[in-house]
Amino acid sequence: MKRIAIACQGGALHAAFTAGALKIILKNQSEKKFEIMGLSGTSAGALCAVTCWYGLITGGPAEAIHKLDAIWDDFAAQSSSERLFNTWLVNTLRLQGKGVAPEVKFSPYAPFFPLLIKQMEFMGFRKEFVDYATLLEKHINFAAVKKPIAEPWLLIGAINIRSGEFKAFDSKKAEITADAVRASGAIPGLGVRAVNIDDEGYWDGLYSQNPPVRNFVADPDKAADKPDEIWVIQINPKIRPGEPESVEDIQDRDNELAANLSLEQEKQFIIAVNSWVNAGYLPTDRYKEVAVETIAISPEMSEALDFASKLDRSPGFIQELMADGEIQAKAFLAKWSAGR
């Protein structure tokens, strides 16, 4: 069987696509053509990766699928107050993108912010909707996996605010916690405070590795411990058909390019190592060629997305993204199986 590592790119709610793709991959793992030896993720990609990883550890592929469905159902807006707030937020962001509504910025450290969260709970918002830690801990028993776990290997991307150093929280080092996943999704511009771990503050992994990829090749000492292939689930399009001109389109493309920058650098690292292996510059007991494949969101789905939709938690929208993830993963696996 091929040893496969799956890297899940971040992109807020668009990562529901990733959840759909993962479910199809998990269903096909039973055919014994490949085994998932590792997962990595950043931001909402980290949510997908850790949920899949936890399900595999505690019950296998079927449990991982169940966990992905359950956590994304809970992540979606459910109550009437949640749905009303979600509609208001998405519409407001779109109006701001068009320059119709003024953009209001505030620090997540503003004294009124914690009071606003409490008020939302009093207005009928579920705690899982307003508090990311509650959502994570409801579905994942982090205490049960707070130990070194080599396979499946999990890496969660974040960045150290003060030093600017990339951080990949590592299951082999027993670093997978709710705080690590929260740190990977801590975007201050969206009202999220930095997450402090061991007296260091961390922000979203979009500023560092989106998602961690090179670690699968660079970290293991033995070639046998590395994956044969890395499958990147990419939700930010690499190519756009035309030049963005409106404020909204410029903002959207700027966000996509920033999100893809580190991913392309990670891929180039793998390509460079592969060329050194081919040239005989590296010892074969420590290095081998590692193929990198991509499962990308469909052009049709991508065209319908924008910056505002990254915060759209409506159940119907999440299901659309998941369905596209399932379709693209099925097409990818059919092509992959045919090419073996």
Side-chain angles (χ1 to χ4, degrees):
M1 290 193 294
K2 292 286 188 181
R3 287 168 54 80
I4 304 299
I6 303 174
C8 306
Q9 189 181 46
L13 271 294
H14 293 177
F17 169 87
T18 302
L22 284 172
K23 290 195 295 180
I24 295 301
I25 293 170
L26 290 163
K27 287 177 182 177
N28 281 267
Q29 191 179 351
S30 61
E31 296 180 10
K32 306 297 182 184
K33 294 179 181 178
F34 61 86
E35 61 175 338
I36 299 173
M37 58 74 62
L39 292 141
S40 71
T42 290
S43 195
L47 171 67
C48 292
V50 72
T51 304
C52 181
W53 174 78
Y54 180 76
L56 286 171
I57 290 171
T58 57
E63 179 63 12
I65 293 169
H66 168 72
K67 283 290 182 184
L68 283 165
D69 279 330
I71 204 164
W72 276 93
D73 283 346
D74 238 3
F75 201 19
Q78 293 183 3
S79 68
S80 57
S81 53
E82 290 170 2
R83 291 178 185 240
L84 185 63
F85 172 79
N86 182 73
T87 300
W88 170 82
L89 177 63
V90 173
N91 288 340
T92 299
L93 288 171
R94 288 202 171 113
L95 290 173
Q96 289 175 346
K98 295 179 186 300
V100 176
E103 186 175 357
V104 179
K105 294 185 178 181
F106 58 87
S107 168
Y109 298 91
F112 70 83
F113 193 71
L115 296 175
L116 179 62
I117 299 299
K118 286 292 183 184
Q119 186 178 15
M120 290 174 74
E121 290 181 31
F122 288 134
M123 293 172 62
F125 292 75
R126 292 170 301 121
K127 194 157 187 182
E128 297 93 328
F129 186 80
V130 298
D131 181 51
Y132 194 29
T134 298
L135 174 74
L136 291 168
E137 290 168 354
K138 176 180 176 180
H139 295 276
I140 299 171
N141 182 358
F142 287 95
V145 293
K146 191 68 170 66
K147 55 188 177 183
I149 297 175
E151 288 197 12
W153 183 15
L154 178 64
L155 297 165
I156 299 296
I159 193 165
N160 186 305
I161 298 171
R162 293 191 304 113
S163 70
E165 293 180 354
F166 296 176
K167 172 65 178 177
F169 293 99
D170 192 334
S171 68
K172 292 182 179 181
K173 300 176 182 177
E175 294 178 330
I176 305 304
T177 63
D179 280 347
V181 182
R182 287 177 53 237
S184 185
I187 304 177
L190 296 180
V192 183
R193 293 187 179 190
V195 177
N196 286 292
I197 300 173
D198 297 330
D199 297 323
E200 294 289 348
Y202 292 93
W203 273 350
D204 195 293
L206 293 173
Y207 300 112
S208 58
Q209 294 169 283
N210 186 26
V213 174
R214 71 175 67 192
N215 305 68
F216 290 124
V217 172
D219 291 356
D221 291 328
K222 298 178 182 178
D225 294 332
K226 303 177 193 288
D228 297 310
E229 299 182 16
I230 299 172
W231 294 353
V232 178
I233 304 179
Q234 185 169 358
I235 56 180
N236 292 290
K238 184 176 180 179
I239 299 172
R240 281 293 189 188
E243 180 180 351
E245 296 180 354
S246 69
V247 173
E248 185 178 23
D249 289 342
I250 290 170
Q251 179 188 35
D252 192 29
R253 189 56 179 156
D254 175 70
N255 187 266
E256 290 171 350
L257 291 172
N260 282 339
L261 177 62
S262 63
L263 175 58
E264 293 306 314
Q265 291 174 334
E266 300 273 299
K267 286 181 177 180
Q268 288 303 314
F269 174 83
I270 306 294
I271 291 170
V273 172
N274 284 344
S275 69
W276 298 335
V277 171
N278 278 328
Y281 298 151
L282 299 174
T284 56
D285 62 328
R286 294 189 60 193
Y287 295 93
K288 65 180 180 183
E289 273 195 89
V290 177
V292 179
E293 305 286 351
T294 301
I295 303 173
I297 200 164
S298 70
E300 297 79 16
M301 187 80 233
S302 180
E303 195 64 31
L305 304 178
D306 58 15
F307 179 79
S309 65
K310 289 189 173 185
L311 297 181
D312 187 353
R313 294 167 72 172
S314 59
F317 178 63
I318 288 173
Q319 287 303 315
E320 282 183 45
L321 285 163
M322 275 195 179
D324 192 58
E326 293 179 13
I327 291 169
Q328 300 311 313
K330 285 177 183 176
F332 168 80
L333 288 171
K335 185 177 179 181
W336 181 82
S337 295
R340 293 189 72 218

